[in-house]
């Protein structure tokens, strides 16, 4: 009898422990509402905040297209201080949003990643002239680190929502592999945009890419799930992006 009672306690304790743990978000464990994903093109103004000044440093244009097997996201960054345009292209699968392809071309480096059973491609550092061939083995599912800011918009957001997202990032300087992004908190808020008051989800996020030192706060319109504003706090430096159209 004592043995049976002890076994029951162990089973109950294990069950409560499992129930209390949140599973990490991956393409295999994906609560995204795909009906929220629309083809769209939008532009955000990018500002640096310094003391009481707000200085525009660039514009970020994003285009989302839905094709038969994939969702294509093309992001173009134009900065007056940069001699060339920064272009990122990301492709994820339509069914699970698993990474398929990512490329990034700017004045500092060119990078191409192909995702399958391995991550292959290249990284060309234009400063040093060094080109690195990429071939990384991976043993767990993940989202592309360049895609997860879009992913957040389509999650089942509600007051108090938090979660951890598995992401893959390639950076020859700070490390490569499967990392995590963490949604720390979600709360209801209002935001004034062009004279109109918008009901938004205010979502606070950090990730391992910055060693969780950078805090991004997204203001996502409840109805449309558009990102109306993003604040980035990086240890004393603050930037903000605001929707233009």
């Amino acid at each position: 009898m004592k043995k049976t009672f002890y076994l029951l306690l162990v089973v109950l304790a294990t069950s409560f422990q499992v129930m209390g743990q949140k599973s990490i978000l991956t393409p295999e464990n994906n609560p995204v509402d795909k009906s929220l994903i629309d083809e769209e093109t939008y532009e955000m103004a990018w500002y640096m905040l310094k003391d009481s000044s707000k200085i525009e440093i660039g514009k970020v244009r994003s285009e989302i297209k839905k094709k038969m097997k994939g969702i294509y996201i093309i992001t173009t960054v134009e900065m007056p201080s940069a001699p060339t345009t920064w272009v990122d292209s990301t492709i994820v699968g339509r069914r699970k949003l698993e990474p398929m392809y990512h490329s990034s071309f700017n004045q500092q480096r060119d990078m191409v990643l192909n995702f399958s059973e391995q991550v292959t491609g290249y990284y060309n550092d234009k400063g040093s002239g060094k080109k690195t061939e990429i071939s990384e083995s991976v043993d767990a599912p993940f989202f592309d680190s360049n895609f997860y800011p879009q992913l957040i918009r389509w999650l089942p957001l509600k007051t108090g929502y938090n979660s951890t997202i598995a992401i893959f990032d390639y950076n020859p300087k700070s490390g490569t592999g499967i990392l995590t992004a963490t949604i720390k908190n979600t709360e209801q808020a209002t935001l004034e945009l062009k004279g109109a008051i918008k009901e938004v989800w205010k979502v606070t996020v950090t990730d391992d890419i910055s060693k969780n030192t950078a805090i991004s706060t997204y203001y996502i319109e409840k109805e449309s799930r558009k990102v109306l504003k993003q604040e980035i706090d990086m240890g004393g430096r603050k930037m903000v992006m605001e929707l233009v159209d």
Side-chain angles (χ1 to χ4, degrees):
M1 183 69 180
K2 283 184 179 178
K3 200 178 219 180
T4 304
F5 181 68
Y6 176 74
L7 182 60
L8 182 61
L9 286 177
V10 171
V11 171
L12 284 172
T14 304
S15 298
F16 284 131
Q17 185 179 21
V18 170
M19 287 168 64
Q21 290 176 345
K22 276 196 165 183
S23 56
I24 194 165
L25 299 189
T26 72
E28 303 299 325
N29 175 39
N30 181 355
V32 161
D33 182 350
K34 296 185 184 67
S35 69
L36 296 171
I37 304 175
D38 293 319
E39 291 197 336
E40 60 180 317
T41 300
Y42 63 93
E43 186 172 85
M44 302 192 81
W46 185 6
Y47 301 96
M48 177 75 73
L49 304 184
K50 189 173 181 181
D51 300 324
S52 58
S53 300
K54 184 177 176 182
I55 305 160
E56 184 170 337
I57 57 176
K59 282 194 165 56
V60 182
R61 185 175 183 271
S62 298
E63 183 178 6
I64 298 176
K65 290 186 175 181
K66 295 163 69 174
K67 300 201 174 180
M68 186 172 293
K69 291 186 178 179
I71 296 172
Y72 291 62
I73 303 169
I74 301 170
T75 304
T76 305
V77 182
E78 293 184 349
M79 304 174 70
S81 60
T84 58
T85 301
W86 181 342
V87 180
D88 277 19
S89 300
T90 301
I91 306 174
V92 300
R94 285 209 44 172
R95 192 165 68 88
K96 296 183 179 180
L97 306 180
E98 75 281 5
M100 297 172 66
Y101 172 85
H102 178 75
S103 65
S104 181
F105 300 98
N106 61 44
Q107 67 180 35
Q108 297 177 327
R109 53 107 177 102
D110 292 342
M111 180 176 69
V112 171
L113 300 175
N114 297 289
F115 298 93
S116 56
E117 293 180 0
Q118 286 192 313
V119 182
T120 60
Y122 67 87
Y123 184 100
N124 181 25
D125 188 320
K126 294 180 179 177
S128 65
K130 181 181 178 182
K131 184 176 181 180
T132 304
E133 296 296 327
I134 299 168
S135 181
E136 296 283 336
S137 297
V138 288
D139 56 4
F142 53 81
F143 293 104
D144 181 358
S145 63
N146 299 278
F147 172 69
Y148 92 79
Q150 294 286 351
L151 177 80
I152 291 169
R153 303 166 53 192
W154 307 318
L155 290 172
L157 301 176
K158 62 181 180 179
T159 299
Y161 182 86
N162 60 80
S163 194
T164 301
I165 306 167
I167 58 174
F168 178 90
D169 190 68
Y170 183 85
N171 189 325
K173 294 180 180 178
S174 62
T176 296
I178 299 178
L179 309 173
T180 60
T182 304
I183 299 176
K184 307 289 283 185
N185 188 43
T186 304
E187 59 185 280
Q188 298 185 69
T190 57
L191 179 71
E192 185 176 349
L193 184 70
K194 299 175 183 175
I197 301 298
K198 303 285 187 178
E199 296 286 333
V200 299
W201 292 117
K202 181 180 177 183
V203 186
T204 306
V205 183
T206 64
D207 61 42
D208 291 342
I209 300 170
S210 70
K211 296 182 171 55
N212 295 295
T213 57
I215 300 171
S216 287
T217 304
Y218 297 87
Y219 296 82
I220 302 169
E221 187 175 29
K222 283 187 176 182
E223 188 175 344
S224 68
R225 289 300 180 97
K226 289 183 177 181
V227 178
L228 304 182
K229 183 179 179 181
Q230 180 186 355
E231 296 172 341
I232 306 112
D233 197 326
M234 302 175 63
R237 293 172 57 202
K238 192 159 186 175
M239 294 182 288
V240 64
M241 293 187 184
E242 295 178 350
L243 185 67
V244 176
D245 55 25

